Amino acid sequence: MIEPLNAVVFYLVFLMSTVLHEAAHAWTAMRGGDPTAYHGGQVSLDPRPHMQREPFGMIMLPLISLAASGWIFGYASAPYDPRWAERHPKRAALMSLAGPASNLLLVLAAWAVIRGGTAFGWFAAPVSIGFDRIVEAPAGGFVGVLALVLSVVFSLNLLLAVFNLIPFPPLDGSGVLPVVLPERAMNAYRSLLAGRPVLAWAGIIGAWMIFDRVFPPIWLAAVNLLYPGPGYG
């Protein structure tokens, strides 16, 4: 059973990270000439329009998964015009990459705060690491809560970035395929996906199977870059 404080931190960090992710998609699409998400209210860091668009993925599923398993699952989306994406594949690819890029920026922000706090003696490298324990605060109190928040921001956003970059539909990584695939292969790919939503579920399941092998070494390498000394393994 997850601790109440950890559950609150997980959900709030998930909400913040997901809203930034979708807002980055929406803003990049708007700048590229597709105002669909802008008109839907997604070019915003206000979580309400995002929650109204995906109430199950942003409210119900995360809370249910936290209560049932101590782990958070959820999803969100930003609308776009597929005809615009077909006409401007490079702009659409940038839109797809904007979401994971926003998560990586949050990872770097958490990394900078942890490094700075460690230099000032507020934080320390933990004896053993975990998804929500990559930094600890010897003094405890508010700084201890901040250490928990930074750990979750670092780990969860790295997870979101890596998972979404897997090039399986409907993940963001598949949005880059029009730029790297030959036109004939891309047309065949679009035809395959058209009218077959089951392939999106197959893509998610396949991505999770790959993710279980890919993410742990990436996360461990990222933590070891944060602390060159301890050498966690």
Side-chain angles (χ1 to χ4, degrees):
M1 180 68 69
I2 189 170
E3 295 291 330
L5 175 61
N6 290 47
V8 170
V9 169
F10 261 84
Y11 181 71
L12 291 179
V13 172
F14 165 80
L15 189 64
M16 172 194 70
S17 306
T18 306
V19 166
L20 181 62
H21 181 109
E22 299 305 330
H25 282 317
W27 182 84
T28 306
M30 181 188 69
R31 296 287 294 177
D34 178 14
T36 306
Y38 170 76
H39 292 312
Q42 266 65 50
V43 185
S44 173
L45 295 179
D46 182 347
R48 289 174 294 181
H50 302 275
M51 297 167 85
Q52 288 169 1
R53 177 172 171 80
E54 297 286 6
F56 183 77
M58 294 199 68
I59 304 173
M60 296 175 64
L61 181 58
L63 295 178
I64 291 170
S65 61
L66 273 173
S69 67
W71 186 249
I72 191 163
F73 296 97
Y75 61 86
S77 65
Y80 71 95
D81 184 352
R83 294 170 297 179
W84 167 82
E86 289 183 17
R87 291 195 305 268
H88 305 287
K90 291 184 179 179
R91 298 181 193 178
L94 287 175
M95 175 194 70
S96 296
L97 291 173
S102 70
N103 296 124
L104 288 175
L105 283 176
L106 287 177
V107 173
L108 291 175
W111 185 92
V113 175
I114 291 171
R115 293 286 292 178
T118 302
F120 281 103
W122 302 333
F123 302 135
V127 175
S128 61
I129 57 173
F131 192 87
D132 58 353
R133 191 178 65 254
I134 63 167
V135 62
E136 63 182 14
F142 170 77
V143 182
V145 176
L146 180 58
L148 171 62
V149 172
L150 289 169
S151 295
V152 176
V153 169
F154 185 95
S155 296
L156 185 56
N157 279 279
L158 186 60
L159 182 153
L160 290 171
V162 173
F163 182 70
N164 279 286
L165 285 173
I166 296 174
F168 290 179
L171 301 177
D172 296 329
S174 67
V176 185
L177 294 179
V179 178
V180 299
L181 289 179
E183 184 176 355
R184 179 177 295 180
M186 194 58 230
N187 289 335
Y189 175 75
R190 287 196 181 106
S191 298
L192 179 67
L193 293 180
R196 296 182 176 90
V198 68
L199 293 180
W201 285 106
I204 291 175
I205 293 170
W208 272 117
M209 293 173 65
I210 292 175
F211 183 77
D212 283 343
R213 296 177 178 271
V214 170
F215 181 70
I218 292 176
W219 178 78
L220 185 61
V223 176
N224 278 318
L225 283 174
L226 184 61
Y227 301 116
Y232 298 107

